[in-house]
Amino acid sequence: MTIANKSVQVGVGVLILNAQKVLVGKRIGSHGANTWQLAGGHLDFGEGFEECAIREALEETGLTLDPASVKFVTANNNLMPSIDRHYVTVFVAANVLGDTKAKIMEPLKCEKWEWITYEQLADNNGPYRPLFSPLAKMVEECDLKAFFAKST
């Protein structure tokens, strides 16, 4: 494939927050297998970041997000030469609205969902490693404490 045939993909990662915890899932069956991830996916043509976050959270976890709480966090650039991919990942944070029991909606992509604290997410030697590369980069570059503190 020539560079002219390649394109940059836009992904949206969702910090789904509840009671000062974030939801992370164990990836399986695709690039980044056996890493911890946020819910999220590809931005559809004509879709806003907030709309994508709400849609992906529901599709992947069965959880409904509070639309009024959805906030932009950051974006990062992710070159993945080993799999010949290039992503720009946009991160948003949002609170859960209603039921907080995440479901495995895509069993070929996610093994399990777990609610973890900021300290667990930031712990480089903890059980939630390795992180999916866009998430690892975001955790390294961003101070997320304020988002956790504001979660309901």
Side-chain angles (χ1 to χ4, degrees):
M1 179 182 272
T2 67
I3 198 158
N5 296 333
K6 295 181 182 184
S7 63
V8 177
Q9 300 288 313
V10 178
V12 175
V14 190
L15 287 153
I16 300 175
L17 300 165
N18 182 63
Q20 298 186 352
K21 292 186 177 182
V22 67
L23 189 67
V24 295
K26 184 85 176 268
R27 287 178 76 92
I28 55 174
S30 66
H31 68 282
N34 299 313
T35 62
W36 291 91
Q37 67 173 356
L38 301 174
H42 292 103
L43 183 69
D44 288 345
F45 184 81
E47 188 175 44
F49 303 142
E50 296 82 0
E51 294 168 289
C52 180
I54 291 167
R55 174 182 56 78
E56 288 288 352
L58 186 61
E59 288 176 4
E60 293 186 8
T61 70
L63 297 175
T64 301
L65 301 183
D66 177 1
S69 74
V70 181
K71 302 279 185 256
F72 173 82
V73 176
T74 192
N76 62 34
N77 192 35
N78 303 279
L79 300 173
M80 301 174 182
S82 64
I83 58 169
D84 203 28
R85 294 194 183 170
H86 180 182
Y87 279 90
V88 170
T89 305
V90 176
F91 292 94
V92 298
N95 291 323
V96 175
L97 190 63
D99 185 19
T100 61
K101 179 146 177 54
K103 300 175 184 86
I104 302 295
M105 305 293 284
E106 297 177 331
L108 300 178
K109 294 181 180 179
C110 184
E111 177 184 322
K112 61 184 171 180
W113 292 107
E114 293 188 18
W115 290 102
I116 67 171
T117 64
Y118 168 78
E119 290 76 19
Q120 290 171 305
L121 182 63
D123 183 357
N124 285 324
N125 298 310
Y128 298 98
R129 290 297 184 272
L131 296 176
F132 186 46
S133 60
L135 176 58
K137 189 173 184 179
M138 190 264 295
V139 168
E140 181 181 311
E141 295 174 352
C142 263
D143 182 4
L144 299 172
K145 291 178 195 164
F147 289 98
F148 278 79
K150 292 179 189 174
S151 70
T152 56

